Amino acid sequence: MPKNTLYIDIHTHNSQSEIPINTLQVTNLSAHEIPSILNSDQTYSMGIHPWHIEKTILADALSHMENLLKDNQIIAVGEAGLDRAIKTSFDTQQTYLIPQVKLAQKYRKPVIFHCVRAYPDLIAIKKKLKPTIPLILHGFNGNQQIYNQLEPHGFFFSFGKILLNPNSKIHSIFAQIPQNRFFLETDEAEVSISEIYQSAAKIKGVGIGEIEKMVKRNFKDCFGKILE
């Protein structure tokens, strides 16, 4: 494995005071519990997760988010999204999601989506709002039919620990996904991003260095960050 590989972890909840060497991680912040001080060495995403809607006052959260989105450390909105497996009404979830997408569009920052059994609804929102910012589906674990529905709409797909499962159906999807449409992440899993890179390389049939180049290029395209 190349010693100087730069690992990009596009979505993690594992906030650390010191980032692992050769790693750029995007740490998730929930709008209802933003820390008073952000670590100057880290980059973040920030949003209202559908699981936290009941603890969040929408107007207050949006105002707080807008103030912080002016900070270059906050590079994305999210995770935000839709989830049909929770009790919160779906109409309420959409009421919370749509202004977050509009806010992301205003500040030209990508959105990182949480989506459970609501992909057609997400596509409908994209068609309605017509955002021109990148839209990233984190922790993607859909089947071939779902992937086929989403792929023409220009979403990016982020894959996590599911790639470590040799029996997962996601392997065939990851093998076929265009090299300019994916990211890798750890989310809440107690695994290293380097392990996920190794699995990604094996599934794609390329070296770690090639996966690194693909993800770096996608990161630059989405976030405007020039990585050395």
Side-chain angles (χ1 to χ4, degrees):
M1 185 185 305
K3 290 184 178 180
N4 296 321
T5 298
L6 174 65
Y7 299 105
I8 297 176
D9 186 347
I10 199 66
H11 178 74
T12 184
H13 293 264
N14 300 318
S15 181
Q16 303 172 55
S17 57
E18 292 187 12
I19 306 250
I21 192 167
N22 294 338
T23 300
L24 188 161
Q25 67 180 33
V26 182
T27 301
N28 182 85
L29 296 175
S30 180
H32 76 288
E33 52 181 8
I34 302 293
S36 57
I37 299 176
L38 301 181
N39 187 322
S40 61
D41 296 326
Q42 294 195 23
T43 54
Y44 300 89
S45 64
M46 177 177 53
I48 308 168
H49 194 293
W51 294 358
H52 301 149
I53 283 174
E54 303 300 334
K55 339 174 181 180
T56 308
I57 298 171
L58 181 57
D60 291 350
L62 291 174
S63 176
H64 194 28
M65 286 174 62
E66 180 151 21
N67 285 333
L68 286 176
L69 281 170
K70 298 168 186 175
D71 191 319
N72 289 333
Q73 283 183 265
I74 310 291
I75 66 170
V77 169
E79 61 185 296
L82 302 170
D83 192 329
R84 289 192 180 274
I86 62 175
K87 292 181 180 179
T88 304
S89 91
F90 202 70
D91 285 345
T92 300
Q93 291 184 46
Q94 293 187 82
T95 298
Y96 273 67
L97 174 60
I98 288 171
Q100 291 185 81
V101 176
K102 290 180 177 178
L103 200 56
Q105 179 70 33
K106 178 179 178 179
Y107 286 94
R108 306 299 305 160
K109 297 192 178 185
V111 182
I112 297 175
F113 285 110
H114 166 99
C115 190
V116 176
R117 304 206 310 256
Y119 293 108
D121 306 279
L122 200 57
I123 291 171
I125 287 174
K126 184 178 188 296
K127 286 181 176 179
K128 179 181 178 181
L129 299 182
K130 297 180 173 58
T132 56
I133 50 175
L135 306 177
I136 303 166
L137 294 165
H138 105 83
F140 186 71
N141 190 23
N143 59 29
Q144 186 68 51
Q145 181 181 4
I146 291 171
Y147 172 75
N148 290 345
Q149 290 173 353
L150 291 163
E151 199 277 334
H153 296 282
F155 288 97
F156 287 80
F157 300 81
S158 181
F159 300 85
K161 70 175 182 178
I162 194 69
L163 294 183
L164 304 180
N165 180 354
N167 300 315
S168 172
K169 64 183 180 298
I170 211 69
H171 282 215
S172 63
I173 292 173
F174 186 73
Q176 69 187 266
I177 196 166
Q179 65 182 29
N180 65 341
R181 284 290 165 187
F182 77 88
F183 288 104
L184 300 171
E185 64 176 70
T186 57
D187 195 15
E188 295 180 315
E190 293 184 3
V191 298
S192 69
I193 192 66
S194 62
E195 292 178 75
I196 294 172
Y197 266 67
Q198 289 177 58
S199 291
K202 183 176 180 181
I203 296 166
K204 282 285 191 187
V206 298
I208 291 273
E210 287 305 305
I211 294 294
E212 177 194 20
K213 289 177 185 176
M214 294 174 194
V215 176
K216 282 174 67 175
R217 183 169 58 245
N218 295 342
F219 190 85
K220 180 181 176 182
D221 289 345
C222 280
F223 297 92
K225 298 283 184 179
I226 300 175
L227 303 172
E228 299 299 334

